[in-house]
Amino acid sequence: PSVPVKGRVTDLETGSPLPGVFIIGDQIGNYSVTPAREELSANTDGDGYFRLTGLPLGPNSVFAIRDEGNYLKRRVRYNVTDDNSVILGDFTMAKGIALSGQVTGAEAGDPIDGVIEYHPAKSNDQFPRGSVASQYRDGSDGRFKMNVSQGKS
């Protein structure tokens, strides 16, 4: 059995609804899903509302990603029980800063293909609870772009 999650995503600072947020299953039941499963996904509508179906009983988490506006990726956890008829899953997302660059070798200056990870300092009060570190796989030209929080890194 599964229980739908219905909610609204809004901007942390303004409270404005966020359309175009992609919500996708990350942990389903007691299992981490890598890569995340698109059949367990939803998008927010023009007023920031979404409905996600297919989460099984037990602990679940989803990632919320919005490419437009430099929003930080967010992980949201839901515990689905037999007692739930619908889970109300409203949450907020915080804006970050776009960071871009190119990774090159120190000596020859050739582009390096790889994975870039961003982990803010635990003492960074600008990194909202529930936001997650950014990871970006750069292209063969070594270029990357990701959203990071303000404050200490």
Side-chain angles (χ1 to χ4, degrees):
S2 68
V3 175
V5 176
K6 291 170 47 173
R8 188 175 199 201
V9 183
T10 55
D11 180 285
L12 177 67
E13 289 185 24
T14 67
S16 300
L18 290 179
V21 176
F22 181 58
I23 300 167
I24 188 164
D26 168 54
Q27 178 185 336
I28 309 303
N30 289 315
Y31 301 98
S32 178
V33 181
T34 306
R37 304 283 301 265
E38 290 208 26
E39 55 269 14
L40 295 174
S41 66
N43 286 292
T44 58
D45 65 17
D47 293 319
Y49 289 101
F50 70 93
R51 179 183 171 90
L52 181 66
T53 59
L55 296 179
L57 297 177
N60 295 276
S61 68
V62 298
F63 278 129
I65 303 163
R66 186 170 192 251
D67 291 331
E68 184 180 323
N70 299 331
Y71 284 87
L72 299 172
K73 182 167 58 172
R74 171 89 195 257
R75 175 178 279 138
V76 183
R77 299 181 192 283
Y78 300 108
N79 189 35
V80 179
T81 69
D82 283 326
D83 299 335
N84 300 124
S85 56
V86 173
I87 295 176
L88 300 178
D90 295 354
F91 61 91
T92 60
M93 292 182 74
K95 280 194 173 187
I97 300 171
L99 173 68
S100 61
Q102 184 177 25
V103 180
T104 57
E107 292 183 22
D110 295 332
I112 296 176
D113 181 19
V115 174
I116 311 290
E117 289 190 0
Y118 163 74
H119 299 274
K122 290 182 180 180
S123 61
N124 184 347
D125 61 357
Q126 298 296 311
F127 196 68
R129 185 170 180 256
S131 299
V132 295
S134 295
Q135 183 181 60
Y136 179 83
R137 175 138 187 105
D138 66 355
S140 59
D141 65 354
R143 295 190 185 280
F144 67 92
K145 181 180 178 184
M146 67 175 68
N147 297 326
V148 298
S149 68
Q150 300 180 46
K152 298 177 184 177
S153 293

